[in-house]
Amino acid sequence: MRVGITMLPEARWADMEPKWRAAEEFGFDHAWTYDHLVWGGLPDSPWFGTTPTLTAAAMVTSTIRLGTFVTSPNFRHPVTFARDVLALDDISGGRFLCGIGRGGDLDSGLLGESLTVAERTGRFFEFTRLLDQVLTEDHVTYDGKYFTAHDSRNKPGCIQQPRVPFLIAANAPKAMRLAAEVGQGWVTYGKPTGNEEDWWRGLREASNRMTAELEAAGRAGEPFERHLNADGARGSVYESVDRFEDAVGRAREAGFTDLITHWPRPDKPYAATVDVLETVAAQVLPKLS
């Protein structure tokens, strides 16, 4: 079981840099930040850009993988975002993980659009497939419902073979099918329930469905990462060491390969103490590697 840590981009770099360094020193396998214009969980909080944050994080770390949790087409175009992906992967020395999802409701309306959920889902699929194409091919021309590219160039030195890993955020069957077809992994926070046991039961069912989608896509037995937002049930898993260890055991039983957690905050969301995180890093993470 691999474990990652997420830093919300809500503070200035002078305050965030020590946390990104510590994530690597503590032995986390990957570190993430949200890719939003504004996040519904903290709508009144300061919020900083994802690409410069991950670039800075790449410059102060050397081994930990770095990712978007997750990017979306709400305010990005595949052709322009491909340049960010190439730069982040280059600066980090091949450590970039590209988490992609449909995107949040607030971001969707912030730029004045009014798409239905079904339309946003269709745009997410189109975004993902076109991003894959412009990263792996040269002279890409595409005229779709939501995006257009006319002779998008990708010089031979920048064509990615293999491409950076796509980790597809999915709860619904269609998005899980997309993950099975083009992703190197899957990300989920589970379906909200009023009961934690029901949440875990739903995750086991979703993991079984993901296995079926991989088999249908002819990818049974291939390496495929399954990332779970471990804080999706009732808040931070760093409430206690026992709670963290329980989450690891349940996630492993459900077939997940990776947990994604959040750096503890003093208040909700993800309220917990750094002391528990440090204890987990010292006593639990070494046993998982």
Side-chain angles (χ1 to χ4, degrees), residues 4-283:
I5 187 82
T6 305
M7 264 70 74
L8 301 184
E10 58 178 322
R12 294 184 181 277
W13 181 246
D15 298 317
M16 296 304 298
E17 178 186 6
K19 295 180 181 180
W20 288 94
R21 290 183 183 272
E24 183 167 271
E25 293 166 358
F26 285 161
F28 286 99
D29 295 285
H30 28 76
W32 310 79
T33 198
Y34 285 7
D35 191 22
H36 290 287
L37 298 176
V38 62
W39 181 52
L42 290 168
D44 299 318
S45 174
W47 209 254
F48 293 85
T50 302
T51 299
T53 295
L54 289 176
T55 300
M59 298 298 290
V60 299
T61 59
S62 60
T63 58
I64 193 169
R65 296 195 293 171
L66 305 169
T68 52
F69 186 46
V70 294
T71 198
S72 82
N74 278 332
F75 55 95
R76 297 197 182 279
H77 190 288
V79 174
T80 57
F81 185 57
R83 299 301 182 223
D84 289 342
V85 170
L86 290 171
L88 285 168
D89 197 49
D90 178 53
I91 293 167
S92 67
R95 292 182 285 136
F96 180 58
L97 298 168
C98 189
I100 312 173
R102 185 180 66 198
D105 295 339
L106 288 180
D107 282 348
S108 176
L110 196 62
L111 300 183
E113 68 179 24
S114 56
L115 299 180
T116 66
V117 171
E119 289 171 330
R120 286 166 53 201
T121 299
R123 183 178 61 176
F124 158 45
F125 287 16
E126 191 172 305
F127 175 92
T128 303
R129 295 186 186 281
L130 182 53
L131 180 61
D132 173 65
Q133 191 174 359
V134 297
L135 286 171
T136 58
E137 301 176 19
D138 192 9
H139 295 287
V140 173
T141 293
Y142 177 87
D143 288 297
K145 182 175 181 179
Y146 302 101
F147 300 105
T148 300
H150 292 299
D151 196 27
S152 176
R153 296 303 313 275
N154 196 3
K155 298 294 185 180
C158 291
I159 292 174
Q160 291 200 318
Q161 299 286 356
R163 170 184 42 70
V164 298
F166 283 5
L167 303 176
I168 308 299
N171 286 323
K174 287 184 178 179
M176 295 176 73
R177 192 166 304 126
L178 178 70
E181 291 173 0
V182 303
Q184 284 65 55
W186 166 49
V187 181
T188 184
Y189 52 83
K191 292 187 177 180
T193 66
N195 180 288
E196 188 172 1
E197 291 302 320
D198 290 341
W199 185 74
W200 282 109
R201 186 178 302 109
L203 286 170
R204 290 192 293 271
E205 293 171 357
S207 185
N208 290 336
R209 190 161 57 245
M210 189 74 252
T211 298
E213 293 292 353
L214 289 167
E215 290 174 350
R219 298 184 62 188
E222 290 185 16
F224 188 83
E225 297 183 4
R226 302 177 188 224
H227 291 247
L228 170 63
N229 176 1
D231 299 321
R234 67 163 201 245
S236 176
V237 291
Y238 297 116
E239 290 177 356
S240 70
V241 175
D242 287 345
R243 174 157 169 71
F244 177 86
E245 292 184 316
D246 180 65
V248 168
R250 287 172 178 256
R252 182 186 288 120
E253 179 185 348
F256 287 91
T257 62
D258 295 73
L259 288 186
I260 299 178
T261 64
H262 292 76
W263 192 277
R265 302 180 69 257
D267 307 301
K268 291 183 178 180
Y270 314 125
T273 67
V274 177
D275 290 347
V276 173
L277 183 151
E278 292 176 343
T279 301
V280 165
Q283 299 180 7

